[in-house]
Amino acid sequence: MNTSVIGYPRIGKDRELKFASEKFFRGEISEAELRDVAKSIRREDLLKQKEAGITYISSNDFSFYDNVLDTAFLFGIVPQRYKDLGLTDLGTYFAMARGYQGDKGNVKALAMKKWFNTNYHYLVPEIDDDTVISLTGSKPVDEFVEAKESGVTTKTAIVGPFTFLKLARFTGTKKIADVSGILTSEYVKLVSALAGKGLELIEFDEPYLVRDLNGEDIELFRNIYSEILANKNGVKVLLQTYFGDIRDIYKDVTSLDFDAIGLDFIEGKKTLELVSGSGFPADKTLFAGIVNGKNIWRNDYKKSLDILKDIGVSDVVVSTSCSLLHVPYTLAGETKLGDEYTKHLAFAEEKLAELKDIAALAGTDYESEEAFRKNQELFSGRVNSEDKEVQAAVAAITEADYVRLPVRSEREKIQKDKLALPKFPTTTIGSFPQTPDVRKNRQEFKKGLKTREEYVEFNKQKIAECIRLQEQIGLDVLVHGEFERNDMVEYFGENLNGYIFTEKAWVQSYGTRNVKPPIIWGDVSRKAPITVEWSKFAQSCTDKPVKGMLTGPVTILNWSFPREDISIKESILQIALAIRDEVLDLEANGIGIIQIDEAALREKLPLRKSDWYSEYLDFTIPAFRLVHSKVKPETQIHTHMCYSEFTDIIPAIDAMDADVITFEASRSDLQILDSLKENNFETEVGPGVYDIHSPRVPSVEEIVSALTKMRAKIDDSKLWVNPDCGLKTRGNEETVKSLTNLVAAAKQIRG
Ligand code: GLN
Ligand code: ZN
């Protein structure tokens, strides 16, 4: 049986791409040097897959920042404001990705959104009435040729036109239907250009097909692909789907002239039913996604081989369920985790071996094969550590534990009296710049080069400076700055029982930002107070209120690699009880405002609306309430969410029953405000007034204008003024300037 990989990690085993890009941004290396680093990452990734014996390896899965942006760029979908900067190609590309502020002008970046139900983010292509869609780039062709020169014949993977159009933002009067024809014909030109270089197979990634589709969508898809498939130029076409099943369009997809169809058997609950129930055409190859591209656990070969048997299709290729972009490179980098752990794990490189094993075992009398037996040993009996006390605590949760009293409107009055904040209170989301000295302090402590006293002393000094700075700037609700945290989830994981950690298991979150999710190994509980010492110290430095800063249970789970031997719900409740202990300890230590970040609340929201409540919100929202339900009425609970993509779940967000919520709004043009108003949103809100994902400093006028728009939709008594996320990725200088302008803007509207 043949094997296929949809896409491979591309940041470099040691995050070479991040470091080189950042050097390039700082002007320390040239474009040519950056391109060289990229080239060697591509080469190494390809050769890894080739050595592992993978049949279908993708090229064009590499990206300097994001594949959706690459696709937009390829077809000349570059808004005029970026062209006007007159930069080089790569300069324009990065301006779209990160914004630009310099001698050539000042523009914001494109909007950035979560890629389906992952923690990867894509840049939203913008199409206006003047956009001329035309195949102007050559990245897929160049990378195919380059791969071939490295000795690897690849398939070209590219975001398909349907998904691309569905994700694009139309800023003028034109709609999808007005541009789909021209975009399709440009894709056809691309296929022909690739055919000219000897491409045999092109992979169109169409994850959008796993969402709820209506008749119009289906017609659009049919139109696009009828055209593409009528112009194959001798290239075979693989329609690749992932992140779910394609129940709404399966019949249409199988009736079109695709040579191969890729389906997800991991997240696609109905995939098997569709294939065995509706049949699969004999003239097509089925790329069966059975090696999970998102988890880090070993594949259970028995389950996979059973699926292959049940599929009952003769022409099958064993594939990853989605791109391996979402998992780390290799276990080879993990020197500290013992074999008792690592034998249960599989990162990208190990997944290649699994693909090969499964392909080799399929159709044989595998029960007696060594590879099969060794694999099954991993699944006999419980491996993860148990804590009976935690299990009992979860079992003892009652309905009353999910309810905070008195009701929010009463709390609001009590809190306004007690806190006596000015109108339009100003605050930040928690972290301050993680400058090199801050990182160094943590690293030296971790390596044992610094004593705990020295480490704490340094952080306290940082906290004191940070408080002083915030007082000088004139902010109303202060934070301690999060200097002790590497990452908002890993930090809590390190302080909870039940977690294990990796050294180098980085995964791309967006652009040059990578995260290293911890792994939930066993039952979770709190070892000891986690943040109390820092928050208490920070509060002792000032008379202004300091917000305690925690990460909520849903985000901790969503940004960890979760267990698969117990339900997500049970894991979340375990974490919620641990964080609840911390909330109550903060309160008992005089912290009157506590922020519980749920940055990633939406991340695992099912892609189909019909599953939203029953499979997710019905237990995640109560789990959040469980964390804060026992605090006193005067304790103000804040929460923060990255991205304002909750327009359609506003009642659920209100039902978190927080007192204040802050969220990203600046990159999405404040679209959410209307929905807040329509839904009579009760929680006080701080929609971010400027974008922290870019180094650009917002002007006072710009912030005032954002606030003015907000005031049109949000009651003055409920509006907070804050940036749209934590400042940890920013530099000191731009942070001080931006916050100074933010406070000036708040003062201006107060006046
Ligand atoms: N409190 C965190 C910070 O400020 C929140 C980060 C986030 O939302 N991703 O960094
Ligand atoms: Zn955020």
Side-chain angles (χ1 to χ4, degrees):
M1 215 175 249
N2 285 333
T3 50
S4 174
V5 171
I6 295 176
Y8 207 66
R10 58 196 183 204
I11 55 178
K13 234 169 49 259
D14 294 306
R15 290 182 290 160
E16 292 89 340
L17 187 62
K18 170 196 177 67
F19 299 122
S21 304
E22 287 173 350
K23 277 191 194 150
F24 174 68
F25 299 152
R26 290 193 298 262
E28 292 164 19
I29 62 170
S30 67
E31 178 172 331
E33 286 170 294
L34 174 61
R35 288 193 183 276
D36 274 349
V37 172
K39 189 171 175 182
S40 60
I41 292 173
R42 287 194 293 265
R43 190 183 146 83
E44 200 177 313
D45 287 356
L46 289 170
L47 292 179
K48 227 349 138 209
Q49 296 174 78
K50 189 180 175 189
E51 278 159 26
I54 301 301
T55 326
Y56 298 104
I57 300 170
S58 290
S59 57
N60 196 42
D61 57 346
F62 172 81
S63 179
F64 274 113
Y65 210 92
D66 162 50
N67 293 100
V68 179
L69 177 62
D70 292 339
T71 311
F73 208 76
L74 177 68
F75 293 111
I77 302 174
V78 177
Q80 192 58 40
R81 60 183 186 277
Y82 300 106
K83 290 187 193 157
D84 288 345
L85 296 169
L87 302 168
T88 61
D89 273 4
L90 194 63
T92 309
Y93 174 91
F94 281 131
M96 290 164 80
R98 316 171 58 237
Y100 178 90
Q101 184 171 32
D103 46 1
K104 307 228 158 117
N106 189 344
V107 271
K108 283 201 225 174
L110 289 175
M112 188 161 69
K113 281 193 176 167
K114 274 189 186 298
W115 178 242
F116 297 86
N117 52 359
T118 73
N119 182 27
Y120 176 73
H121 303 75
Y122 68 95
L123 288 148
V124 183
E126 242 176 62
I127 300 178
D128 60 35
D129 292 353
D130 301 322
T131 306
V132 180
I133 299 177
S134 149
L135 177 65
T136 48
S138 58
K139 177 179 182 287
V141 179
D142 300 342
E143 290 181 14
F144 172 73
V145 172
E146 181 191 282
K148 221 167 169 184
E149 283 165 6
S150 312
V152 187
T153 302
T154 56
K155 59 179 154 81
T156 288
I158 185 164
V159 178
F162 177 75
T163 296
F164 183 85
L165 286 170
K166 293 299 286 183
L167 298 182
R169 205 157 114 196
F170 288 79
T171 55
T173 58
K174 282 193 182 163
K175 303 230 160 33
I176 289 184
D178 303 315
V179 304
S180 62
I182 170 81
L183 180 65
T184 304
S185 61
E186 296 307 297
Y187 268 87
V188 167
K189 280 187 200 156
L190 174 68
V191 175
S192 139
L194 285 160
K197 300 289 179 191
L199 182 78
E200 287 166 21
L201 179 67
I202 186 161
E203 169 190 311
F204 288 107
D205 283 10
E206 290 287 11
Y208 206 93
L209 294 184
V210 311
R211 305 198 78 128
D212 296 316
L213 303 177
N214 59 29
E216 213 176 293
D217 295 326
I218 293 172
E219 195 189 313
L220 172 69
F221 179 86
R222 291 196 70 110
N223 288 341
I224 289 172
Y225 280 98
S226 304
E227 180 71 17
I228 290 178
L229 295 169
N231 295 283
K232 289 185 188 172
N233 278 292
V235 177
K236 292 203 161 135
V237 177
L238 161 61
L239 176 78
Q240 185 63 58
T241 66
Y242 41 83
F243 301 146
D245 62 65
I246 59 167
R247 66 186 82 153
D248 294 340
I249 200 166
Y250 182 77
K251 289 223 167 75
D252 302 82
V253 162
T254 45
S255 71
L256 286 164
D257 189 25
F258 292 108
D259 300 278
I261 298 171
L263 302 176
D264 179 352
F265 287 84
I266 301 288
E267 285 190 274
K269 280 182 295 180
K270 295 214 170 173
T271 302
L272 190 57
E273 192 182 313
L274 287 169
V275 174
S276 45
S278 312
F280 190 84
D283 62 339
K284 299 190 197 313
T285 308
L286 172 60
F287 280 55
I290 52 179
V291 170
N292 195 327
K294 283 182 171 173
N295 79 357
I296 41 83
W297 304 106
R298 285 297 312 268
N299 185 283
D300 181 342
Y301 288 177
K302 171 139 188 10
K303 276 195 191 153
S304 295
L305 291 161
D306 281 349
I307 293 174
L308 288 177
K309 252 188 235 157
D310 292 344
I311 287 175
V313 174
S314 56
D315 190 1
V316 176
V317 170
V318 183
S319 170
T320 57
S321 67
C322 61
S323 168
L324 295 177
L325 163 73
H326 309 292
V327 294
Y329 266 89
T330 170
L331 276 168
E334 302 307 321
T335 57
K336 293 200 179 123
L337 281 178
D339 170 64
E340 70 272 31
Y341 296 110
T342 52
K343 70 181 181 197
H344 292 285
L345 307 178
F347 297 170
E349 196 176 321
E350 293 74 30
K351 285 175 192 281
L352 300 177
E354 293 188 332
L355 286 168
K356 278 303 283 182
D357 275 353
I358 296 167
L361 293 168
T364 68
D365 185 10
Y366 52 74
E367 304 276 346
S368 57
E369 295 289 335
E370 168 82 356
F372 182 78
R373 275 190 295 113
K374 274 187 95 173
N375 175 270
Q376 287 306 286
E377 273 168 25
L378 298 171
F379 295 90
S380 62
R382 190 189 164 93
V383 291
N384 308 70
S385 59
E386 273 188 287
D387 183 334
K388 295 274 184 235
E389 228 173 274
V390 172
Q391 293 172 6
V394 169
I397 297 170
T398 67
E399 279 310 306
D401 292 322
Y402 293 117
V403 184
R404 182 177 176 199
L405 290 172
V407 295
R408 181 164 35 206
S409 52
E410 273 176 52
R411 295 184 329 242
E412 198 171 0
K413 283 184 222 126
I414 299 171
Q415 291 165 16
K416 281 211 189 307
D417 277 350
K418 184 194 156 207
L419 294 166
L421 296 168
K423 232 167 138 184
F424 311 113
T426 53
T427 190
T428 63
I429 308 305
S431 59
F432 266 67
Q434 292 254 331
T435 42
D437 56 329
V438 171
R439 287 175 209 279
K440 192 164 160 242
N441 181 49
R442 275 202 317 266
Q443 277 156 10
E444 290 185 344
F445 175 52
K446 244 187 183 161
K447 286 189 191 138
L449 300 173
K450 253 189 180 173
T451 64
R452 183 170 159 84
E453 288 69 47
E454 287 167 332
Y455 166 75
V456 169
E457 195 41 47
F458 176 91
N459 274 346
K460 286 195 169 164
Q461 213 174 309
K462 274 280 162 189
I463 291 174
E465 277 167 28
C466 183
I467 295 282
R468 221 174 308 130
L469 178 68
Q470 295 172 78
E471 285 182 331
Q472 274 162 12
I473 293 174
L475 289 154
D476 301 308
V477 172
L478 314 190
V479 296
H480 77 285
E482 301 184 22
F483 304 111
E484 74 287 7
R485 302 183 194 180
N486 37 0
D487 170 277
M488 65 187 289
V489 168
E490 189 173 40
Y491 174 73
F492 284 91
E494 277 169 359
N495 288 286
L496 295 170
N497 296 312
Y499 266 92
I500 59 172
F501 301 91
T502 58
E503 290 160 79
K504 287 191 172 183
W506 295 97
V507 178
Q508 187 177 25
S509 171
Y510 67 87
T512 52
R513 175 144 178 83
N514 308 309
V515 294
K516 189 155 65 69
I519 299 169
I520 306 181
W521 180 262
D523 290 332
V524 172
S525 61
R526 193 181 68 147
K527 294 179 193 166
I530 304 171
T531 63
V532 176
E533 183 186 3
W534 306 122
S535 288
K536 230 171 100 175
F537 174 74
Q539 185 63 81
S540 76
C541 299
T542 178
D543 294 331
K544 292 200 169 175
V546 174
K547 273 196 279 195
M549 196 59 59
L550 305 174
T551 304
V554 187
T555 297
I556 292 186
L557 183 113
N558 284 351
W559 282 349
S560 303
F561 286 115
R563 287 164 72 172
E564 291 186 347
D565 61 331
I566 64 171
S567 69
I568 297 282
K569 176 179 172 181
E570 182 154 10
S571 265
I572 288 184
L573 289 176
Q574 290 183 357
I575 301 166
L577 289 178
I579 301 299
R580 173 163 83 168
D581 292 345
E582 186 71 13
V583 167
L584 295 175
D585 274 348
L586 282 172
E587 185 184 58
N589 279 280
I591 304 301
I593 305 182
I594 301 169
Q595 178 170 312
I596 307 162
D597 288 328
E598 281 296 10
L601 184 100
R602 211 198 138 99
E603 188 154 311
K604 290 197 174 151
L605 188 70
L607 294 173
R608 288 180 190 277
K609 255 190 171 148
S610 48
D611 299 334
W612 280 3
Y613 281 86
S614 60
E615 289 190 10
Y616 191 72
L617 295 170
D618 283 350
F619 66 85
T620 50
I621 301 298
F624 181 85
R625 288 200 304 264
L626 179 65
V627 174
H628 69 85
S629 62
K630 292 281 179 283
V631 299
K632 298 184 202 135
E634 62 266 34
T635 299
Q636 189 170 64
I637 297 294
H638 289 216
T639 188
H640 165 74
M641 286 175 64
C642 295
Y643 307 97
S644 53
E645 278 191 285
F646 52 86
T647 310
D648 35 18
I649 53 165
I650 284 176
I653 302 301
D654 227 8
M656 291 165 82
D657 205 22
D659 299 304
V660 181
I661 179 168
T662 59
F663 55 84
E664 182 271 2
S666 56
R667 266 199 184 193
S668 45
D669 284 346
L670 309 172
Q671 285 156 355
I672 192 181
L673 301 178
D674 291 314
S675 326
L676 292 178
K677 192 173 166 69
E678 278 157 29
N679 286 279
N680 289 317
F681 196 65
E682 265 191 37
T683 320
E684 294 184 16
V685 280
V689 295
Y690 76 88
D691 174 20
I692 64 88
H693 303 87
S694 139
R696 197 180 153 271
V697 174
S699 67
V700 178
E701 299 75 59
E702 198 179 317
I703 300 176
V704 167
S705 129
L707 286 167
T708 309
K709 283 187 203 147
M710 292 172 194
R711 290 179 69 188
K713 309 283 161 144
I714 296 168
D715 202 86
D716 280 358
S717 67
K718 285 195 189 287
L719 184 60
W720 286 66
V721 182
N722 45 263
D724 70 0
C725 196
L727 302 164
K728 63 175 166 249
T729 55
R730 297 276 59 91
N732 269 333
E733 205 188 305
E734 73 228 32
T735 297
V736 173
K737 284 190 192 153
S738 300
L739 292 178
T740 304
N741 288 354
L742 177 146
V743 169
K747 289 200 172 135
Q748 195 168 317
I749 62 165
R750 275 174 207 157

